[in-house]
């Protein structure tokens, strides 16, 4: 019974994984404004919504190959390999191959915690929400004095992909754990 539940949870996790890597994980908006006397000029500096795959693509284009590759490996490749192996092991019931596959999945399970780490990184990025800075400057020219207030505001929010990916992480860990429990209960 544990084996069926674990397999089912891994399939549901895979269903959450796909939108989790394709849909925006977070949005980031940074605006700068300058106030001179009573006039205000506002400009959007950054306005992005990034998914995991869009983040990897952007890092690759910015030639940050190591960071992009690490995020791709730990957030896309290892989860797909792990889910594929657990699914394959499900159909190899009560065999030595099933046990070897599940032991291998358990050994890479430590590495699959990196996907949880990716979620933690995105949460850290989201902690910049409503970070405001302001600088007041006074300029004097030809006897005139101008007060200039320059400020910036950073807003960030979790996207729907964040929730899908978090759901994937939790269900995948639970499903794999339950699948491994079934190995110990086999005759």
């Amino acid at each position: 019974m544990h084996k069926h539940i674990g397999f089912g949870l891994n399939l549901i996790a895979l269903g959450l994984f796909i939108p989790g890597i394709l849909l925006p994980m977070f949005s980031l908006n940074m605006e700068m404004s300058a106030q001179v006397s009573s006039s205000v000029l506002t400009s959007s500096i950054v306005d992005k919504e990034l998914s995991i795959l869009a983040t990897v693509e952007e890092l690759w284009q910015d030639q940050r190959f190591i960071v992009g590759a690490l995020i791709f490996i730990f957030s896309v490749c290892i989860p797909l390999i792990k889910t594929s192996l657990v699914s394959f092991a499900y159909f190899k019931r009560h065999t030595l191959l099933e046990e070897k596959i599940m032991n291998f999945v358990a050994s890479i399970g430590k590495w699959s915690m990196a996907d949880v780490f990716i979620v933690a990184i995105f949460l850290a990025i989201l902690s910049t929400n409503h970070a405001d800075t302001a600088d007041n400057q006074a300029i004097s020219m030809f006897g005139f004095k101008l007060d200039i207030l320059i400020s910036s505001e950073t807003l960030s929010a979790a996207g729907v992909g964040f929730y899908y990916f978090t759901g994937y992480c939790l269900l995948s860990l639970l499903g794999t754990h339950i699948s491994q429990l079934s190995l110990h209960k086999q005759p």
Side-chain angles (χ1 to χ4, degrees), residues 3 93-95 98-99 181-187:
K3 188 173 193 164
R93 294 184 178 165
H94 310 296
T95 64
E98 176 196 22
E99 190 174 334
L181 285 176
S182 72
L183 284 178
H184 303 295
K185 294 188 177 197
Q186 289 180 10

Side-chain angles (χ1 to χ4, degrees), residues 4-5 19-20 44 48 51 78 81 100-101 104 110 123 135:
H4 302 303
I5 293 170
S44 180
K48 290 184 176 184
S51 66
I78 289 179
I81 290 168
K100 286 183 179 183
I101 289 171
F104 177 72
K110 295 169 190 82
L123 281 174
D135 188 23

Side-chain angles (χ1 to χ4, degrees), residues 43-54:
S43 178
S44 180
I45 298 172
V46 177
D47 190 14
K48 290 184 176 184
E49 285 189 339
L50 291 173
S51 66
I52 290 178
L53 290 181

Side-chain angles (χ1 to χ4, degrees), residues 5-151:
I5 293 170
F7 179 69
L9 288 174
N10 272 299
L11 285 181
I12 295 169
L14 183 62
L16 295 174
F17 172 76
I18 294 168
I21 63 170
L22 295 175
L23 295 175
M25 276 287 248
F26 72 98
S27 62
L28 182 64
N29 183 295
M30 180 183 251
E31 290 186 352
M32 179 175 266
S33 62
Q35 181 177 353
V36 180
S37 296
S38 62
S39 299
V40 177
L41 301 169
T42 303
S43 178
S44 180
I45 298 172
V46 177
D47 190 14
K48 290 184 176 184
E49 285 189 339
L50 291 173
S51 66
I52 290 178
L53 290 181
T55 301
V56 169
E57 181 181 350
E58 190 167 297
L59 288 167
W60 199 260
Q61 288 173 351
D62 290 344
Q63 297 183 353
R64 295 187 228 165
F65 301 120
I66 293 174
V67 177
L70 288 173
I71 290 174
F72 184 74
I73 288 167
F74 291 120
S75 295
V76 178
C77 296
I78 289 179
L80 285 176
I81 290 168
K82 182 179 146 193
T83 303
S84 299
L85 288 173
V86 168
S87 298
F88 183 72
Y90 175 77
F91 294 105
K92 298 294 178 185
R93 294 184 178 165
H94 310 296
T95 64
L96 183 59
L97 180 60
E98 176 196 22
E99 190 174 334
K100 286 183 179 183
I101 289 171
M102 291 308 291
N103 287 336
F104 177 72
V105 168
S107 71
I108 67 169
K110 295 169 190 82
W111 290 103
S112 72
M113 284 303 293
D115 52 13
V116 178
F117 180 68
I118 298 298
V119 171
I121 290 172
F122 280 111
L123 281 174
I125 291 169
L126 293 175
S127 70
T128 63
N129 202 17
H130 297 289
D132 295 325
T133 60
D135 188 23
N136 200 0
Q137 299 290 323
I139 299 175
S140 295
M141 288 177 51
F142 307 114
F144 294 103
K145 182 179 176 187
L146 289 175
D147 288 324
I148 301 174
L149 176 65
I150 300 173
S151 63

